[in-house]
Amino acid sequence: MLDGVRILAWGTRHAVRLGATLLERAGAQVTFGGAQAAQGYDVIVVSSDVSSADERSVIAELKASATHIVCDITATGPQNARVGMRGSDAQIQAISGLMDTTGFAHGEPVHIGVPFTEISAALYACAAIAAAVRVKRLRGIVQNIDVTLFGCAASALTTFLPTAFAQGTVGRVGNRHPACAPWNAYATRDGWILICTSTEEQWRKIKDVASAPQLDDPRFASLRERVAHVDELDALIETWTSTLTTSECSQVCEQIGVAAGPIVSVEELSKEPNFRMRHADAAMQIDTQGIDGDTYKRVSIFNTARLTDDACAAPCTDREAAPHAGPLAGIKVVEIGQYTTAPLVGKHLAALGAEVVKIEPPDGEVARSWTPGQAGTSYFFALNNTDKQTIALDLKQQADRAYLSTLLADADVLVENLRPGALAKLGFDRDALGKINPRLIYCSISGFGIASAYPARPAFDTVIQAMGGLMDLTRSAGEPVKLGASGADILGGQAALLAIVACLAGPARQDGTFVEISMQDVAAWCALFASGNPERQGIAVACIDGHVWLESDEHADAAALAAHAKQARCSVLTRASAVAALAKAGVSAVPVARVHELIEDGDFLADVLSVARDANGAFWPVLKVPYRLSRTPARVRAVPGAPTRTASPLFATLAV
């Protein structure tokens, strides 16, 4: 991976500290220090927006020198209208719309209980660093990288932006999903259980075990109808779950293949069976010493191993690329993914220049048909699948499996987020993949990992948020609530992206690599970091046109902030007036943006939103990547059309 790469971490943001931990996990040699020690390092990671004027001057000189890869992680970036804003994680959650998606419809916007934008920025920054290291190794190009917390936050809104694109108003949905139902937290005899469905088959299974005649009502006959009548649907589902214990309901859902699970507190992670099995050392420390600032380091967010026990006869040779082509030009990727995690990985690999072939089922990925969209394809699918060639295969058919084998024989990477064991049942276990392509990087993303206490349990984002501690830390009036964004999916995909690009950044590969990502591992890593490194307090306060977020200094608590808000009479002011009034009182406040308001936000339009075309020439709103490589930039260009059966299985014939 990044063995031998020397990195200097020089910055005070959480993202710099977290990035250092991740880069060490990827094999780099990381040192914390200042500019005086800059010589002798390959990469320098900084956070210029929270640096002193003298430090910013030194950072500018380092960027101009072109002798180091300099990665600068800031709140809003060098060209943003808010340039210089020393924004905290919570403030970025607020101004990006991320905060307004979290919480219940009847309540206030909720601050996500982990520093989501800092964590996301750390993951994207490390992936971009690995890409830049690869470019330097292969082409001798040294470049700078800019990563923004604002861009990372906006990139996480793919579930909500489609409504905004269709000129709709985006609201908070609590523990529901805006496009799927049933999907919620339901009361049981002894607590709560998260149940998530996304397909008609999963709906039929829940309907059968619930045995409520009312569920056959025409109001629930289609996904669109179920979403439209979700209040009535959830009440009927809860009449069933309330007759069972949480454990009994989890077991029933596992038996029928529907994602479900309990809400686990961070302190109870050590007793959660899968976490304890996979992270015995961390569980023991939590039991004996509690959670401290470094407990999260005992949890690995990705695991790597040799693909097979058979060594390759010769190293893998990197394909030549033009000097200013994308960092992954010449890399060939096969993605077997759906919804968010694997598609997010494929999207970024494609933006970085790789040729990505996405394998879909014969009728196409389910998310294609979600609304809203255009020309029969959802905006959600478009946002997550830019720049891919899509092929429809029925992997239950021998001919199509043979076709996949031919694709894999010439691929560098396979990434999938199928249920653990599903690909092996089709004849593509690790040994088989090693025989097809001994140098393949095979990345498996799943809810609970390959080595798991729940080998047959499916998982969706909300279940992982519940079982990984994220919901315990994110509360509305004391009640656990999921991140509005698909946080576990997104962070799991980012972990996979980092691991894959780090593998590609290393010297010539001689053995194939297996990369395992457990989304629960990633969620628990985030939750443990947040628990051991608490943030400053803050509150959301209502105004006449929305909410503002007030943040404390080291001397103010939530009660003091509420008193300031009352004195400023925020409840009768607009957000802009409230921010100004609070500033006069020496209180830091920012408006809480609504997602649909981003479409008119100049920073969002300039720095985040872009436009791509599909094969028919139609325009689509898409998102830029939140990291900028100065000389080999990542590019988002095209939206795929319907999946096709190509005449040739060779990558050379595929247009990207």
Side-chain angles (χ1 to χ4, degrees):
M1 301 180 82
L2 300 180
D3 295 358
V5 177
R6 297 158 300 172
I7 295 177
L8 174 66
W10 175 35
T12 59
R13 283 200 173 276
H14 281 327
V16 175
R17 177 182 172 190
L18 288 165
T21 300
L22 294 168
L23 291 165
E24 283 184 326
R25 175 72 182 91
Q29 301 172 15
V30 180
T31 302
F32 285 88
Q36 68 277 6
Q39 297 305 314
Y41 289 94
D42 303 295
V43 182
I44 303 173
V45 188
V46 298
S47 48
S48 64
D49 60 338
V50 291
S51 301
S52 68
D54 289 343
E55 289 171 334
R56 288 196 296 273
S57 177
V58 174
I59 291 170
E61 292 176 3
L62 287 170
K63 289 181 177 180
S65 70
T67 56
H68 307 82
I69 297 169
V70 180
C71 179
D72 194 359
I73 305 173
T74 61
T76 56
Q79 275 116 26
N80 194 292
R82 300 184 180 97
V83 64
M85 175 183 178
R86 300 164 70 94
S88 68
D89 171 82
Q91 289 175 329
I92 300 302
Q93 288 187 34
I95 67 173
S96 68
L98 194 60
M99 186 180 290
D100 197 60
T101 67
T102 302
F104 297 99
H106 58 272
E108 298 172 342
V110 173
H111 169 231
I112 295 169
V114 299
F116 181 87
T117 69
E118 295 271 4
I119 294 168
S120 182
L123 286 160
Y124 277 134
C126 291
I129 287 169
V133 167
R134 173 182 167 83
V135 171
K136 180 182 178 183
R137 176 174 64 83
L138 294 179
R139 302 179 227 168
I141 295 173
V142 178
Q143 60 191 313
N144 298 321
I145 303 165
D146 283 298
V147 182
T148 69
L149 273 63
F150 183 83
C152 292
S155 295
L157 295 171
T158 51
T159 304
F160 295 91
L161 284 170
T163 299
F165 293 158
Q167 300 182 329
T169 299
V170 178
R172 293 182 291 282
V173 296
N175 290 319
R176 289 172 171 166
H177 190 291
C180 297
W183 185 303
N184 208 344
Y186 301 96
T188 64
R189 279 169 42 198
D190 60 352
W192 295 85
I193 187 166
L194 276 296
I195 297 178
C196 306
T197 68
S198 66
T199 67
E200 293 302 316
E201 180 183 6
Q202 292 164 357
W203 159 241
R204 285 192 295 270
K205 290 177 177 179
I206 282 289
K207 186 173 64 170
D208 288 346
V209 297
S211 299
Q214 300 96 317
L215 293 176
D216 289 319
D217 191 290
R219 291 175 300 169
F220 312 132
S222 69
L223 178 58
R224 180 177 293 185
E225 289 296 318
R226 291 194 295 279
V227 171
H229 299 94
V230 67
D231 289 336
E232 301 96 316
L233 175 62
D234 280 347
L236 289 170
I237 295 295
E238 198 163 84
T239 61
W240 165 62
T241 61
S242 61
T243 66
L244 303 171
T245 66
T246 302
S247 177
E248 290 169 345
C249 198
S250 295
Q251 291 173 9
V252 170
C253 289
E254 184 170 344
Q255 289 169 1
I256 64 174
V258 169
I263 298 173
V264 178
S265 71
V266 181
E267 290 76 14
E268 294 296 314
L269 275 173
S270 63
K271 297 177 178 60
E272 201 288 313
N274 196 59
F275 180 89
R276 193 170 191 88
M277 187 193 86
R278 293 177 60 84
H279 306 288
D281 181 56
M284 183 177 296
Q285 183 196 332
I286 295 170
D287 285 341
T288 58
Q289 303 173 38
I291 299 169
D292 63 27
D294 290 330
T295 303
Y296 76 101
K297 294 180 180 180
R298 296 174 181 263
V299 175
S300 175
I301 67 168
F302 61 84
N303 296 308
T304 60
R306 292 176 63 180
L307 182 61
T308 68
D309 292 330
D310 297 327
C312 298
C316 178
T317 303
D318 289 299
R319 301 174 182 90
E320 292 186 6
H324 298 290
L328 301 185
I331 294 297
K332 300 176 180 180
V333 179
V334 174
E335 174 205 310
I336 308 176
Q338 55 187 339
Y339 306 120
T340 299
T341 46
L344 180 145
V345 178
K347 165 189 172 174
H348 283 275
L349 294 176
L352 288 166
E355 300 176 23
V356 179
V357 177
K358 179 184 179 72
I359 308 299
E360 299 188 51
D363 295 331
E365 183 185 327
V366 171
R368 278 184 177 271
S369 62
W370 290 0
T371 56
Q374 59 185 25
T377 297
S378 69
Y379 288 126
F380 174 87
F381 179 87
L383 286 170
N384 285 290
N385 291 283
T386 43
D387 302 304
K388 301 174 187 176
Q389 171 76 19
T390 58
I391 301 176
L393 295 180
D394 182 355
L395 296 180
K396 296 179 181 178
Q397 303 299 320
Q398 176 58 37
D400 285 10
R401 291 197 298 273
Y403 190 102
L404 176 60
S405 295
T406 308
L407 283 174
L408 292 171
D410 195 34
D412 297 283
V413 178
L414 166 64
V415 57
E416 53 94 356
N417 65 334
L418 303 177
R419 190 179 305 182
L423 202 59
K425 290 180 181 178
L426 294 169
F428 296 97
D429 60 15
R430 287 167 60 180
D431 286 339
L433 291 170
K435 290 182 174 64
I436 294 169
N437 184 344
R439 302 176 186 86
L440 183 70
I441 298 170
Y442 166 37
C443 178
S444 170
I445 310 171
S446 62
F448 302 105
I450 299 298
S452 169
Y454 312 120
R457 181 177 294 190
F460 276 126
D461 168 83
T462 306
V463 172
I464 299 303
Q465 288 197 38
M467 298 182 68
L470 298 182
M471 283 182 63
D472 176 50
L473 296 177
T474 306
R475 291 178 176 262
S476 177
E479 185 174 346
V481 63
K482 75 178 184 71
L483 284 63
S486 300
D489 279 346
I490 292 165
L491 295 169
Q494 288 184 258
L497 176 68
L498 164 59
I500 290 169
V501 181
C503 287
L504 292 170
R509 304 182 308 279
Q510 188 163 344
D511 297 329
T513 304
F514 174 61
V515 178
E516 183 209 31
I517 305 291
S518 159
M519 290 158 53
Q520 188 190 33
D521 290 353
V522 181
W525 184 79
C526 298
L528 289 169
F529 176 82
S531 293
N533 301 272
E535 299 265 89
R536 292 184 295 178
Q537 293 189 50
I539 59 172
V541 173
C543 301
I544 60 175
D545 63 345
H547 292 79
V548 293
W549 173 256
L550 282 64
E551 197 158 276
S552 69
D553 58 26
E554 60 271 20
H555 305 297
D557 58 14
L561 290 174
H564 282 300
K566 184 177 181 180
Q567 185 175 15
R569 303 179 67 233
C570 291
S571 61
V572 297
L573 299 176
T574 64
R575 285 173 288 177
S577 297
V579 168
L582 288 163
K584 290 181 180 178
V587 179
S588 175
V590 295
V592 178
R594 308 292 303 278
V595 173
H596 52 273
E597 293 173 343
L598 294 177
I599 306 303
E600 299 179 358
D601 181 275
D603 291 335
F604 180 82
L605 294 175
D607 296 338
V608 178
L609 194 65
S610 186
V611 176
R613 283 187 173 183
D614 63 20
N616 296 319
F619 289 99
W620 291 77
V622 294
L623 299 178
K624 300 174 185 176
V625 298
Y627 46 87
R628 307 284 190 268
L629 291 95
S630 60
R631 296 186 61 186
T632 60
R635 293 186 173 92
V636 178
R637 297 152 291 184
V639 170
T644 60
R645 295 295 294 266
T646 183
S648 170
L650 300 179
F651 269 100
T653 68
L654 299 177
V656 176

